[in-house]
Amino acid sequence: MGKITGFMEFDRADRGYRPVEERLKHYREFVEPLPEKDVKTQAARCMDCGIPYCHNGCPVNNQIPDWNDLVYQGQWSTASLNLHSTNNFPEVTGRVCPAPCEASCTLNIEDVPVTIKTIEYSIAERAFADNGNKWVPQPPDKKTGKRVAVIGSGPAGLAAAQQLARAGHEVHVYEKNAFPGGLLRYGIPDFKLEKVVVERRVKQMEAEGVTFHCNTHVGKDVTVASLKKSHDAVLLTGGSEKPFDFFAKASGRELDGIHFAMDFLPQQNRRVSGETIAKGTKEISAKDKHVIVIGGGDTGSDCIGTSFRQGAKSVTQLEIMPQPPKMENKALSWPHWPLKLRISSSQAEGAAVEYSISTTGFSGEGGKIKKLHYTRVDSKLQPVPGSEGALDADLVLLAMGFSGPTEDDVVKEMDLPVVARGRFKGLEANERDYRIRGRDKLFVAGDMRRGQSLVVWAIREGRQAAASIDRVLMGRTDLPR
């Protein structure tokens, strides 16, 4: 694939960022796309591996070497068809996926993998522009007469809904928020994923026959039982929204100014979109505050970038794990996802990052947080005597991940068992059929089934669940898994 000697002739080049001082003034995306000729050059670096290990890293089974070659040959339209055959939303994964495919690339043995994520983004955006800045709807040739309800409109729900609609089913998506998108809309900041990216796909899906019912909280406003009566199948894709709170019993936890990340981030997304924040909601702002973010993952980085844009005095990120090595041991890790030091674009905007540090409590004045108390920990995460200290803290954001689905709506109504999956929890269903055992018509997919994970995994789950539902309803399916 690509140019046979391309990987020897061309150096790796990737998208760049707008300067920090410029991008902190707004909430728009700040990644600078590569020019078309440079994307083609990068696609030429694909090695035509005998075993394309990039497939090992891609949950949605993208045919990466194939569309790399098509881009190199200038066949952008065919590359788009190929890419969309496995991934409903490459414009999303081309923005926010951590690119495990690149970690698995054979060239990553030399730490210069093909810029797969950038090429994917370029294919998707080129297809959008070539079609008059719209996604061309793909309605089915005929309708099946079957009705499917999808509860939740995050990436798993959207992917499933689009696949089922294209198979000819009447699809109704129920979303508790004002607009579709789930985590894409309300969790990921606009500076990483502008909401027009989600909106234009929703328009395509509506033209394909998907009906969205927003501001409709299933399990509260509408019962699952009623949806089962009026639909032939019901797919649960409510995500994993219950946050971990490791400090529930810590001293000072009740102080004002300590919030979960997903109470903080959606507020700003709503402000940027011009959406009204519900009455009675306590507004959270980092302006003129010393902000501490507890948790070292993507959600923590999103809190950092948002805090800087709101005008924080300082932002410090705390991670209990030790600092990873700057370079992984390829002989031990490749082609799997490596543990190594990664500096996110938000961290690079000026955050102080502390490793091997554990929060022990909080203190304040007048009921408001003023200090975060900590201790250093050793390699076994045990406290180091004499390493105690305190940090100024006017706002503390808890970004330590999510334990499982909320249990006060759908789960409660249907009395569904939530089972442990390592440190995460989800509803019981397998990857063969995604059916909830002993529950007629009920299916589950995405984070609600497998636990907190990546957007690309949610898309995979939605696609596979759609194929299973289609097979159950029709006796067979042509939908790809």
Side-chain angles (χ1 to χ4, degrees):
M1 299 297 172
K3 187 176 182 181
I4 294 177
T5 56
F7 70 96
M8 295 186 291
E9 296 179 33
F10 309 122
D11 292 333
R12 173 183 163 93
D14 207 348
R15 292 171 288 181
Y17 299 142
R18 298 298 301 164
V20 171
E21 61 274 13
E22 174 188 317
R23 69 195 199 220
L24 287 182
K25 297 176 182 177
H26 60 76
Y27 288 89
R28 299 186 302 277
E29 293 178 14
F30 53 82
V31 178
E32 296 186 304
L34 282 182
E36 179 181 318
K37 64 179 181 62
D38 292 339
V39 176
K40 292 176 67 174
T41 298
Q42 291 306 300
R45 299 183 65 245
C46 191
M47 293 179 65
D48 190 14
C49 301
I51 298 176
Y53 285 98
C54 53
H55 289 188
N56 180 74
C58 181
V60 293
N61 305 310
N62 279 337
Q63 300 172 55
I64 295 164
D66 300 75
W67 42 256
N68 277 339
D69 181 56
L70 290 166
V71 168
Y72 171 62
Q73 301 294 342
Q75 299 180 40
W76 289 91
S77 179
T78 307
S80 175
L81 290 173
N82 185 297
L83 176 55
H84 281 88
S85 72
T86 59
N87 185 354
N88 293 71
F89 315 120
E91 72 282 8
V92 173
T93 51
R95 286 172 163 86
V96 302
C97 183
C101 53
E102 293 190 21
S104 296
C105 177
T106 301
L107 282 173
N108 192 41
I109 295 174
E110 297 294 330
D111 211 42
V112 286
V114 175
T115 53
I116 299 169
K117 179 177 174 179
T118 288
I119 298 168
E120 177 182 42
Y121 165 90
S122 301
I123 294 171
E125 291 302 316
R126 171 68 181 262
F128 182 73
D130 284 351
N131 288 303
N133 287 330
K134 65 179 182 180
W135 296 115
V136 178
Q138 299 177 36
D141 294 330
K142 61 180 181 180
K143 293 287 190 176
T144 65
K146 303 292 186 180
R147 303 180 83 227
V148 182
V150 178
I151 302 174
S153 67
L158 290 178
Q162 185 165 60
Q163 293 295 94
L164 288 165
R166 290 176 176 178
H169 304 304
E170 181 183 336
V171 181
H172 293 263
V173 178
Y174 293 85
E175 169 57 50
K176 65 183 178 182
N177 290 300
F179 296 99
L183 183 72
L184 304 178
R185 177 99 195 184
Y186 293 100
I188 300 173
D190 286 69
F191 55 80
K192 288 175 64 175
L193 178 69
E194 292 183 25
K195 303 319 163 201
V196 67
V197 176
V198 180
E199 291 166 355
R200 65 195 193 190
R201 276 295 184 185
V202 169
K203 289 180 180 178
Q204 181 195 37
M205 292 175 64
E206 289 175 330
E208 293 172 348
V210 177
T211 301
F212 290 92
H213 304 269
C214 295
N215 289 315
T216 304
H217 194 159
V218 177
K220 293 188 177 181
D221 303 328
V222 177
T223 65
V224 181
S226 66
L227 294 180
K228 286 179 65 179
K229 289 180 180 179
S230 57
H231 295 79
D232 298 287
V234 177
L235 174 62
L236 309 181
T237 58
S240 179
E241 295 185 323
K242 188 176 180 180
F244 282 115
D245 187 356
F246 295 114
F247 309 115
K249 297 181 180 180
S251 61
R253 176 63 180 86
E254 76 286 352
L255 291 168
D256 182 23
I258 304 173
H259 302 278
F260 291 116
M262 287 305 293
D263 290 330
F264 173 66
L265 295 172
Q267 279 195 16
Q268 187 55 48
N269 283 9
R270 288 186 168 95
R271 292 188 192 103
V272 174
S273 296
E275 185 180 335
T276 302
I277 297 176
K279 289 183 179 180
T281 300
K282 179 177 178 57
E283 295 215 24
I284 309 169
S285 174
K287 185 174 176 59
D288 297 327
K289 294 178 180 176
H290 294 292
V291 179
I292 295 182
V293 178
I294 304 178
D298 287 338
T299 303
S301 286
D302 293 345
C303 289
I304 292 171
T306 300
S307 295
F308 277 131
R309 284 161 180 76
Q310 289 184 351
K313 280 184 182 178
S314 68
V315 182
T316 303
Q317 185 176 31
L318 306 184
E319 170 59 71
I320 193 171
M321 301 301 291
Q323 181 172 320
K326 291 184 178 180
M327 180 65 66
E328 72 271 29
N329 185 330
K330 303 288 186 180
L332 293 177
S333 64
W334 183 87
H336 304 293
W337 183 252
L339 176 66
K340 70 174 184 178
L341 182 64
R342 294 176 173 86
I343 306 299
S344 73
S345 59
S346 291
Q347 289 172 328
E349 290 169 354
V353 182
E354 297 282 348
Y355 294 92
S356 297
I357 190 169
S358 177
T359 301
T360 56
F362 313 92
S363 61
E365 299 173 3
K368 296 183 183 241
I369 180 77
K370 288 297 179 183
K371 294 284 184 180
L372 178 145
H373 300 272
Y374 68 84
T375 181
R376 299 286 177 178
V377 296
D378 59 23
S379 59
K380 296 182 180 179
L381 305 186
Q382 296 303 305
V384 175
S387 65
E388 298 82 2
L391 295 169
D392 290 336
D394 304 306
L395 175 63
V396 175
L397 300 172
L398 308 181
M400 299 170 290
F402 306 89
S403 63
T406 55
E407 299 181 29
D408 63 349
D409 45 29
V410 172
V411 171
K412 181 179 180 180
E413 181 200 336
M414 301 305 294
D415 192 26
L416 299 172
V418 182
V419 300
R421 301 186 181 283
R423 65 189 290 250
F424 306 117
K425 295 187 293 183
L427 300 185
E428 185 63 40
N430 62 49
E431 287 186 273
R432 292 188 299 278
D433 59 20
Y434 293 84
R435 303 184 75 168
I436 299 179
R437 292 290 170 264
R439 304 303 176 97
D440 184 43
K441 296 184 180 181
L442 278 188
F443 298 77
V444 62
D447 288 3
M448 196 171 191
R449 186 192 76 84
R450 74 190 307 269
Q452 174 191 337
S453 191
L454 304 174
V455 167
V456 69
W457 269 105
I459 294 172
R460 169 196 169 117
E461 292 256 320
R463 288 173 63 87
Q464 293 191 339
S468 175
I469 292 171
D470 188 42
R471 182 180 297 106
V472 169
L473 296 182
M474 305 304 294
R476 61 179 297 276
T477 185
D478 291 324
L479 290 176
R481 283 174 56 86

